[in-house]
Amino acid sequence: MMLPKEYQGLQIKREDAARWSFLCPFHDDHNPSLTVNKTGPYAGNFRCWGCGAKGSPATFARKMGETPSTPLPPANFKKTLPEIPEITPEQIARLFVQYQQYPDKRVYHKLGEKLGINPAILHRFYVGFDGKAYTFPMFGLGGEIVGIRFRTIDGRKYALKGGRNGLFVPCCVFNPGYPLIVTEGESDALAAFQMGFQVIGRPGTGQCKETVAGWMTEHGFTKAVLIADNDPAGQAGAKDLAKYLAFEKGFEIRMIQPPKQYKDFRDWFIAGAKRFEVLDRMEDAQYHIGMDIVKGIKKTKITIGGTANNDNV
């Protein structure tokens, strides 16, 4: 399909057969978080994976203060995600407590079986349940809950409107003397924690770079290992975060990814990955950086796993 007129004032940042990607105009977006579907029953609809804005082209136009030019969807149109009302930070905190107190604890065993995660690990990440979806709180630098990610029983994800993105942080004592792993998404963070690693998770590729840097500084970490998903977006997002942490913030960063047959870290974990295998990949990630990432740097601090090369760029 052609790009609907409502979006034509935006600059296309990425494009593939399924969608266009743009910088979201509804929040301070530094990576293309807003996508528009090209195909399927929701072709033309937009969604921001950062702030949660979503809807039809007409909805986009109205949010931008413009008059819609694309017809509204048919009456039998069904939304893929539930509408979430506007919410204040105080309400977020109250909802967090409410979701934690869901009485039927069997729901956590159901999620644990689906994800391949021990239900005890879910509680370490403060996972709750609202009766329809599992809730994953996201934390800011001060330890406050700044947003909530929802995951329905059938795997659909959405964020609480009115909140903002933060980090998935487990309840544990962090030690800067041991490796810190940074994952993309909550399920990879759960898997890494169950394997015995110190871990924090980002809500998605390209998200919370400044929060990760601030959290590492607050907790005394000078090094981290980024685990990238085995897809182009995951690889690009991890490299972008690595560049930011190493060259703008001065951290020593290594980047690894699971073996190519696994789409992400949790997929590798479920297949039987061992802790020593992950440690071996971390050890093999030499301190170097490829020419495709940055040029003209004499002393590098980014590490890409699996390529042993200490040459200066």
Side-chain angles (χ1 to χ4, degrees), residues 235-250:
Q235 294 285 313
K239 288 181 179 179
D240 183 61
L241 177 61
K243 285 197 301 182
Y244 174 79
L245 293 176
F247 293 100
E248 295 190 36
K249 297 299 182 180

PDB file of all heavy atoms in Angstrom, residues 235-250:
ATOM      1  N   GLN A 235      20.163  -6.203  16.540  1.00  0.00           N
ATOM      2  CA  GLN A 235      21.586  -5.947  16.359  1.00  0.00           C
ATOM      3  C   GLN A 235      21.867  -4.444  16.283  1.00  0.00           C
ATOM      4  O   GLN A 235      22.787  -3.936  16.925  1.00  0.00           O
ATOM      5  CB  GLN A 235      22.065  -6.626  15.070  1.00  0.00           C
ATOM      6  CG  GLN A 235      22.000  -8.143  15.100  1.00  0.00           C
ATOM      7  CD  GLN A 235      23.106  -8.753  15.942  1.00  0.00           C
ATOM      8  OE1 GLN A 235      24.261  -8.373  15.807  1.00  0.00           O
ATOM      9  NE2 GLN A 235      22.750  -9.687  16.787  1.00  0.00           N
ATOM     10  N   ALA A 236      21.042  -3.729  15.501  1.00  0.00           N
ATOM     11  CA  ALA A 236      21.256  -2.290  15.347  1.00  0.00           C
ATOM     12  C   ALA A 236      21.040  -1.568  16.672  1.00  0.00           C
ATOM     13  O   ALA A 236      21.796  -0.663  17.030  1.00  0.00           O
ATOM     14  CB  ALA A 236      20.314  -1.737  14.279  1.00  0.00           C
ATOM     15  N   GLY A 237      20.000  -1.964  17.415  1.00  0.00           N
ATOM     16  CA  GLY A 237      19.723  -1.318  18.687  1.00  0.00           C
ATOM     17  C   GLY A 237      20.820  -1.541  19.706  1.00  0.00           C
ATOM     18  O   GLY A 237      21.187  -0.630  20.455  1.00  0.00           O
ATOM     19  N   ALA A 238      21.366  -2.766  19.752  1.00  0.00           N
ATOM     20  CA  ALA A 238      22.441  -3.061  20.698  1.00  0.00           C
ATOM     21  C   ALA A 238      23.714  -2.298  20.335  1.00  0.00           C
ATOM     22  O   ALA A 238      24.412  -1.779  21.206  1.00  0.00           O
ATOM     23  CB  ALA A 238      22.709  -4.561  20.728  1.00  0.00           C
ATOM     24  N   LYS A 239      24.028  -2.214  19.049  1.00  0.00           N
ATOM     25  CA  LYS A 239      25.211  -1.455  18.620  1.00  0.00           C
ATOM     26  C   LYS A 239      25.061   0.026  18.956  1.00  0.00           C
ATOM     27  O   LYS A 239      26.021   0.688  19.370  1.00  0.00           O
ATOM     28  CB  LYS A 239      25.448  -1.651  17.123  1.00  0.00           C
ATOM     29  CG  LYS A 239      25.966  -3.034  16.755  1.00  0.00           C
ATOM     30  CD  LYS A 239      26.197  -3.141  15.252  1.00  0.00           C
ATOM     31  CE  LYS A 239      26.731  -4.519  14.875  1.00  0.00           C
ATOM     32  NZ  LYS A 239      26.948  -4.649  13.416  1.00  0.00           N
ATOM     33  N   ASP A 240      23.849   0.540  18.762  1.00  0.00           N
ATOM     34  CA  ASP A 240      23.608   1.950  19.073  1.00  0.00           C
ATOM     35  C   ASP A 240      23.791   2.206  20.568  1.00  0.00           C
ATOM     36  O   ASP A 240      24.408   3.198  20.972  1.00  0.00           O
ATOM     37  CB  ASP A 240      22.197   2.329  18.630  1.00  0.00           C
ATOM     38  CG  ASP A 240      21.896   3.802  18.856  1.00  0.00           C
ATOM     39  OD1 ASP A 240      22.586   4.654  18.271  1.00  0.00           O
ATOM     40  OD2 ASP A 240      20.980   4.104  19.639  1.00  0.00           O
ATOM     41  N   LEU A 241      23.261   1.312  21.399  1.00  0.00           N
ATOM     42  CA  LEU A 241      23.438   1.449  22.839  1.00  0.00           C
ATOM     43  C   LEU A 241      24.907   1.314  23.222  1.00  0.00           C
ATOM     44  O   LEU A 241      25.415   2.056  24.073  1.00  0.00           O
ATOM     45  CB  LEU A 241      22.609   0.395  23.574  1.00  0.00           C
ATOM     46  CG  LEU A 241      22.744   0.379  25.100  1.00  0.00           C
ATOM     47  CD1 LEU A 241      22.299   1.700  25.710  1.00  0.00           C
ATOM     48  CD2 LEU A 241      21.957  -0.782  25.705  1.00  0.00           C
ATOM     49  N   ALA A 242      25.616   0.368  22.583  1.00  0.00           N
ATOM     50  CA  ALA A 242      27.041   0.183  22.866  1.00  0.00           C
ATOM     51  C   ALA A 242      27.830   1.442  22.546  1.00  0.00           C
ATOM     52  O   ALA A 242      28.681   1.871  23.338  1.00  0.00           O
ATOM     53  CB  ALA A 242      27.584  -1.001  22.067  1.00  0.00           C
ATOM     54  N   LYS A 243      27.572   2.040  21.399  1.00  0.00           N
ATOM     55  CA  LYS A 243      28.255   3.283  21.030  1.00  0.00           C
ATOM     56  C   LYS A 243      27.996   4.372  22.067  1.00  0.00           C
ATOM     57  O   LYS A 243      28.906   5.092  22.486  1.00  0.00           O
ATOM     58  CB  LYS A 243      27.791   3.764  19.655  1.00  0.00           C
ATOM     59  CG  LYS A 243      28.344   2.976  18.494  1.00  0.00           C
ATOM     60  CD  LYS A 243      28.184   3.730  17.186  1.00  0.00           C
ATOM     61  CE  LYS A 243      26.751   4.060  16.875  1.00  0.00           C
ATOM     62  NZ  LYS A 243      26.616   4.744  15.572  1.00  0.00           N
ATOM     63  N   TYR A 244      26.745   4.495  22.462  1.00  0.00           N
ATOM     64  CA  TYR A 244      26.376   5.547  23.418  1.00  0.00           C
ATOM     65  C   TYR A 244      27.074   5.329  24.761  1.00  0.00           C
ATOM     66  O   TYR A 244      27.677   6.259  25.317  1.00  0.00           O
ATOM     67  CB  TYR A 244      24.859   5.560  23.595  1.00  0.00           C
ATOM     68  CG  TYR A 244      24.384   6.515  24.672  1.00  0.00           C
ATOM     69  CD1 TYR A 244      24.294   7.882  24.423  1.00  0.00           C
ATOM     70  CD2 TYR A 244      24.023   6.042  25.931  1.00  0.00           C
ATOM     71  CE1 TYR A 244      23.863   8.757  25.414  1.00  0.00           C
ATOM     72  CE2 TYR A 244      23.592   6.909  26.926  1.00  0.00           C
ATOM     73  CZ  TYR A 244      23.519   8.263  26.661  1.00  0.00           C
ATOM     74  OH  TYR A 244      23.104   9.114  27.641  1.00  0.00           O
ATOM     75  N   LEU A 245      27.001   4.125  25.282  1.00  0.00           N
ATOM     76  CA  LEU A 245      27.590   3.856  26.601  1.00  0.00           C
ATOM     77  C   LEU A 245      29.106   3.975  26.585  1.00  0.00           C
ATOM     78  O   LEU A 245      29.712   4.472  27.544  1.00  0.00           O
ATOM     79  CB  LEU A 245      27.175   2.463  27.077  1.00  0.00           C
ATOM     80  CG  LEU A 245      25.696   2.253  27.397  1.00  0.00           C
ATOM     81  CD1 LEU A 245      25.429   0.798  27.765  1.00  0.00           C
ATOM     82  CD2 LEU A 245      25.238   3.177  28.525  1.00  0.00           C
ATOM     83  N   ALA A 246      29.736   3.521  25.495  1.00  0.00           N
ATOM     84  CA  ALA A 246      31.192   3.530  25.452  1.00  0.00           C
ATOM     85  C   ALA A 246      31.768   4.895  25.099  1.00  0.00           C
ATOM     86  O   ALA A 246      32.654   5.396  25.787  1.00  0.00           O
ATOM     87  CB  ALA A 246      31.686   2.480  24.456  1.00  0.00           C
ATOM     88  N   PHE A 247      31.267   5.502  24.030  1.00  0.00           N
ATOM     89  CA  PHE A 247      31.915   6.695  23.501  1.00  0.00           C
ATOM     90  C   PHE A 247      31.359   7.998  24.054  1.00  0.00           C
ATOM     91  O   PHE A 247      32.027   9.016  24.033  1.00  0.00           O
ATOM     92  CB  PHE A 247      31.850   6.690  21.979  1.00  0.00           C
ATOM     93  CG  PHE A 247      32.676   5.594  21.384  1.00  0.00           C
ATOM     94  CD1 PHE A 247      32.080   4.421  20.958  1.00  0.00           C
ATOM     95  CD2 PHE A 247      34.054   5.687  21.308  1.00  0.00           C
ATOM     96  CE1 PHE A 247      32.834   3.390  20.437  1.00  0.00           C
ATOM     97  CE2 PHE A 247      34.821   4.661  20.798  1.00  0.00           C
ATOM     98  CZ  PHE A 247      34.205   3.498  20.358  1.00  0.00           C
ATOM     99  N   GLU A 248      30.119   7.964  24.566  1.00  0.00           N
ATOM    100  CA  GLU A 248      29.576   9.179  25.169  1.00  0.00           C
ATOM    101  C   GLU A 248      29.644   9.142  26.689  1.00  0.00           C
ATOM    102  O   GLU A 248      29.760  10.188  27.335  1.00  0.00           O
ATOM    103  CB  GLU A 248      28.125   9.399  24.716  1.00  0.00           C
ATOM    104  CG  GLU A 248      27.984   9.678  23.226  1.00  0.00           C
ATOM    105  CD  GLU A 248      26.588  10.135  22.861  1.00  0.00           C
ATOM    106  OE1 GLU A 248      25.970  10.852  23.656  1.00  0.00           O
ATOM    107  OE2 GLU A 248      26.119   9.761  21.777  1.00  0.00           O
ATOM    108  N   LYS A 249      29.596   7.940  27.274  1.00  0.00           N
ATOM    109  CA  LYS A 249      29.554   7.836  28.732  1.00  0.00           C
ATOM    110  C   LYS A 249      30.797   7.186  29.327  1.00  0.00           C
ATOM    111  O   LYS A 249      30.959   7.199  30.547  1.00  0.00           O
ATOM    112  CB  LYS A 249      28.307   7.056  29.164  1.00  0.00           C
ATOM    113  CG  LYS A 249      27.003   7.753  28.777  1.00  0.00           C
ATOM    114  CD  LYS A 249      26.899   9.119  29.450  1.00  0.00           C
ATOM    115  CE  LYS A 249      25.605   9.810  29.114  1.00  0.00           C
ATOM    116  NZ  LYS A 249      25.495  11.145  29.774  1.00  0.00           N
ATOM    117  N   GLY A 250      31.664   6.596  28.516  1.00  0.00           N
ATOM    118  CA  GLY A 250      32.940   6.097  29.012  1.00  0.00           C
ATOM    119  C   GLY A 250      32.916   4.736  29.672  1.00  0.00           C
ATOM    120  O   GLY A 250      33.881   4.364  30.337  1.00  0.00           O
TER     121      GLY A 250
END
